[in-house]
Amino acid sequence: MLAFFKNGHAASCRAPQSKCICAPRLYVLTGALAICAGAIQGVIGYLGSLFLLSDALHSTTDGTTDLLVAIIAVYILNNPHKEQVLEENGRRVVAIALVASAAWVIWEALDRAIVGNHTVVPWMLAVGGIGGACVDALRLYLLQKAQDTAPSGMRGGLIAHARTDMQRSIIAGVVGSLLWGGRVAIKAHWFETAVSYLDIALSVALSMYMFYLAKGIWRGEHIHDHKHGSCDPPH
């Protein structure tokens, strides 16, 4: 395990001198990190911020993608001729999960906006965002270390996902911190109302982005395209 933190590969892996055999294990690790972080963010978000909840659902979907890529990588090692079919089916499952998550967030946002009982807890948004950013930074570090040694098309896609996850979490942490400070400085009912609707608006905006990503994934525009196994030799 420590070898992954040192160079992005297992101690038994001989990449880039030979074909990488540890990529599936790395993807399982990064996927597990994303899913665990998403689950914790989801609980915090449900209680304190719909925006953080939508970010958690996206992170969980990306973590599932990492695990799916791990399965693909193992399968490709043994059945390289079936790579295209497996990738197509896999990305459609991910796209459907992303659409379902986004639709649920929008439904929840509309319900909270209509009922008017939506409450935002800024410190929860700040803590959840900062914590998520730290986990995403670790995922990005592990994937980038492996990529520097033995470039891979699929891994490059996972790096892009980890980077955008980290950026969203940073935004959540910054927004939560600003709102936390604003709540202390501005003790007024209008501020609380504004914060609630801002949280709902950010949630809907992120859901729209999730729909956009799902469309691209379904069409194959955002797949981790890789035609020669789990790790390409450096060019």
Side-chain angles (χ1 to χ4, degrees), residues 157-218:
L158 297 183
I159 288 173
H161 276 251
R163 184 178 292 111
T164 56
D165 285 348
M166 184 177 68
Q167 292 169 346
R168 290 197 319 272
S169 294
I170 290 174
I171 291 173
V174 170
V175 171
S177 299
L178 292 175
L179 294 180
W180 192 2
R183 172 172 284 183
V184 174
I186 307 173
K187 298 180 179 180
H189 178 70
W190 66 265
F191 182 78
E192 299 292 335
T193 302
V195 168
S196 297
Y197 281 105
L198 174 62
D199 187 65
I200 290 175
L202 290 172
S203 303
V204 173
L206 181 55
S207 296
M208 292 296 102
Y209 179 64
M210 291 165 70
F211 280 131
Y212 166 75
L213 286 180
K215 182 188 73 171
I217 291 173
W218 183 274

Side-chain angles (χ1 to χ4, degrees), residues 67-181:
L67 298 181
L68 180 62
V69 170
I71 296 173
I72 291 174
V74 171
Y75 203 88
I76 288 173
L77 288 175
N78 300 316
N79 304 274
H81 60 287
K82 295 184 178 180
E83 175 184 3
Q84 185 174 356
V85 174
L86 184 60
E87 283 190 350
E88 181 177 349
N89 292 336
R91 72 171 185 262
R92 288 182 174 178
V93 171
V94 173
I96 292 173
L98 204 57
V99 167
S101 298
W104 184 86
V105 170
I106 290 178
W107 177 270
E108 186 72 13
L110 291 175
D111 180 67
R112 295 189 184 193
I114 293 172
V115 176
N117 63 347
H118 181 53
T119 301
V120 180
V121 183
W123 72 263
M124 286 188 173
L125 177 57
V127 171
I130 294 172
C134 291
V135 175
D136 294 331
L138 177 58
R139 290 172 56 212
L140 183 59
Y141 169 81
L142 291 171
L143 291 167
Q144 191 62 60
K145 287 289 287 185
Q147 187 75 343
D148 291 342
T149 304
S152 162
M154 287 194 296
R155 190 183 297 115
L158 297 183
I159 288 173
H161 276 251
R163 184 178 292 111
T164 56
D165 285 348
M166 184 177 68
Q167 292 169 346
R168 290 197 319 272
S169 294
I170 290 174
I171 291 173
V174 170
V175 171
S177 299
L178 292 175
L179 294 180
W180 192 2

Side-chain angles (χ1 to χ4, degrees), residues 19-49:
K19 192 177 185 67
C20 175
I21 60 173
C22 68
R25 293 166 58 189
L26 175 62
Y27 301 153
V28 169
L29 174 59
T30 57
L33 286 172
I35 291 174
C36 289
I40 295 173
Q41 281 185 318
V43 173
I44 297 175
Y46 189 80
L47 296 174
S49 169

